[in-house]
């Protein structure tokens, strides 16, 4: 048990900021997790990160926040699509997270990546990043890019932030889509339902909305489980949580298998039909325009084979 008391000039500070100042070598995310776990108490009650520091009672920490690291896991599969001295293109399977949320997690793409490419340790904007430049959802399969040096990570993240990296996806959606289209929304986390995005123009109490733009064009019309479906080629430059899933659902085209956003569920198919199939960027060292591709996974190809044209 660790006991901390506030100095006079610290009273009134946000608790998470105060604790982060007391442990400057530890990422703030580790301090937040300590609070979320209920491991910080004052006067016998658990504290929240937004609490203000008080002077009259000591703060008790059940454990000291620690520097977080990713544990390499060589037992996990890692499919490398392409690589050079500074850049990696990977194909993530469905059912795997890109990065751990806590050091105890050992079954993510980052754990597999670190086991094979140990130089990615410490590359990124946090200790759990392992050079991974962008994330796709757990049940989305396909292309993920990673940097092998901090300088290349920073250069490529600047391209993502400038929306100059083109990312292509393949999505199977409910309904018949006959013409290409473009969707633009302000997306925000649902204040009443964690883990779901909402249209901030409709949900006025949603906080920190982010602009999302999704372009799509139909590739094939199909019938699956007796229902009309359309295979879409999807292009995005922005990268908001659940962007494609949410925007297509808002437009009346939910992705097949997407429980969270209203997609119907084909028998024997446990995930949504969304695959990151390609990305185009400028190589930060050579200036060459490169396109990386990841073919459809066998489960997606099998579902398409079940459908009737």
């Amino acid at each position: 048990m660790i006991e901390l008391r506030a100095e006079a000039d610290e009273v009134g500070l946000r608790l998470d900021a105060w604790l982060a100042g007391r442990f400057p070598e530890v990422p703030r995310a580790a301090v937040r997790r300590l609070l979320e776990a209920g491991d910080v108490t004052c006067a016998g009650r658990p504290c929240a990160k937004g609490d203000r520091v008080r002077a009259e009672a000591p703060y008790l920490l059940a454990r000291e926040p620690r520097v977080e690291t990713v544990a390499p896991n060589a037992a996990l599969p890692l499919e490398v699509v392409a690589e050079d001295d500074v850049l990696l293109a990977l194909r993530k399977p469905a059912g795997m997270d890109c990065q751990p949320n806590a050091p105890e997690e050992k079954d993510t793409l980052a754990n597999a990546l670190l086991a094979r490419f140990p130089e990615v340790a410490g590359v990124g904007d946090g200790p759990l990043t392992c050079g991974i430049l962008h994330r796709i959802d757990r049940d989305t399969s396909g292309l993920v890019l990673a940097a092998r040096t901090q300088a290349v990570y920073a250069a490529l993240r600047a391209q993502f932030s400038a929306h100059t990296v083109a990312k292509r996806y393949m999505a199977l959606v409910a309904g018949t889509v006959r013409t290409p289209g473009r969707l633009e929304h302000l997306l925000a986390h649902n204040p009443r339902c964690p883990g779901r995005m909402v249209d901030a123009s409709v949900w006025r109490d949603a906080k920190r909305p982010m602009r999302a733009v999704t372009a799509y064009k139909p590739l094939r019309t199909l019938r699956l489980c007796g229902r009309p479906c359309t295979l879409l080629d999807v292009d995005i430059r922005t990268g908001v949580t659940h962007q494609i899933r949410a925007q297509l659902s808002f437009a009346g085209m939910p992705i097949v298998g997407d429980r969270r956003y209203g997609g119907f569920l084909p028998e024997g198919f446990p995930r949504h039909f969304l695959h990151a199939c390609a990305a185009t960027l400028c190589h930060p060292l050579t200036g060459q325009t490169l396109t990386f591709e990841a073919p459809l996974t066998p489960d997606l190809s099998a579902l398409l084979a079940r459908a009737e044209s």
Side-chain angles (χ1 to χ4, degrees), residues 10-264:
E10 295 173 329
V11 174
L13 296 175
R14 267 182 62 115
L15 181 59
D16 56 350
W18 177 64
L19 288 173
R22 289 297 183 97
F23 299 95
E25 74 286 356
V26 175
R28 187 165 293 196
V31 172
R32 287 198 301 268
R33 274 191 273 278
L34 196 71
L35 288 159
E36 290 164 358
D39 288 339
V40 181
T41 58
C42 183
R45 301 184 64 179
C47 300
K49 64 182 180 181
D51 289 351
R52 297 293 170 175
V53 174
R54 295 153 50 186
E56 64 270 18
Y59 288 87
L60 301 178
L61 280 62
R63 55 187 172 87
E64 184 174 345
R66 61 189 184 279
V67 175
E68 300 175 324
T69 57
V70 175
N73 187 347
L76 293 175
L78 182 69
E79 184 175 349
V80 179
V81 175
E83 65 175 291
D84 65 17
D85 291 342
V86 297
L87 183 60
L88 296 163
L90 314 167
R91 187 168 82 161
K92 184 189 82 68
M96 175 184 280
D97 288 322
C98 283
Q99 297 167 219
N101 292 312
E104 294 78 16
E105 297 178 31
K106 296 180 174 62
D107 296 322
T108 74
L109 183 66
N111 299 103
L113 180 61
L114 184 62
R116 183 161 167 186
F117 299 96
E119 68 272 17
V120 302
V123 174
D125 54 10
L128 306 182
T129 302
C130 287
I132 293 175
L133 288 154
H134 60 117
R135 288 183 285 183
I136 59 178
D137 294 337
R138 176 182 178 84
D139 284 335
T140 300
S141 55
L143 193 73
V144 175
L145 302 173
R148 300 173 74 170
T149 71
Q150 185 62 35
V152 168
Y153 179 90
L156 287 173
R157 278 305 309 163
Q159 291 186 38
F160 277 94
S161 298
H163 304 152
T164 58
V165 178
K167 294 165 285 182
R168 283 185 51 242
Y169 288 73
M170 199 167 289
L172 185 66
V173 301
T176 300
V177 182
R178 302 192 185 280
T179 58
R182 182 178 183 274
L183 304 170
E184 183 169 351
H185 294 88
L186 288 175
L187 297 182
H189 292 275
N190 190 327
R192 302 175 196 173
C193 182
R196 184 182 172 92
M197 303 300 283
V198 295
D199 181 352
S201 67
V202 177
W203 290 68
R204 299 295 183 182
D205 55 345
K207 296 179 180 178
R208 296 188 295 276
M210 295 160 283
R211 179 174 174 265
V213 180
T214 296
Y216 62 88
K217 61 181 179 182
L219 297 175
R220 293 169 56 193
T221 55
L222 308 160
R223 290 192 69 81
L224 182 64
C225 305
R227 305 185 187 208
C229 300
T230 306
L231 186 64
L232 298 182
D233 184 300
V234 179
D235 182 278
I236 64 172
R237 302 283 179 123
T238 54
V240 180
T241 301
H242 295 180
Q243 172 175 332
I244 297 172
R245 297 167 61 190
Q247 289 193 281
L248 290 176
S249 177
F250 298 161
M253 301 178 286
I255 294 174
V256 170
D258 193 348
R259 301 169 183 267
R260 185 163 296 180
Y261 291 98
F264 76 87

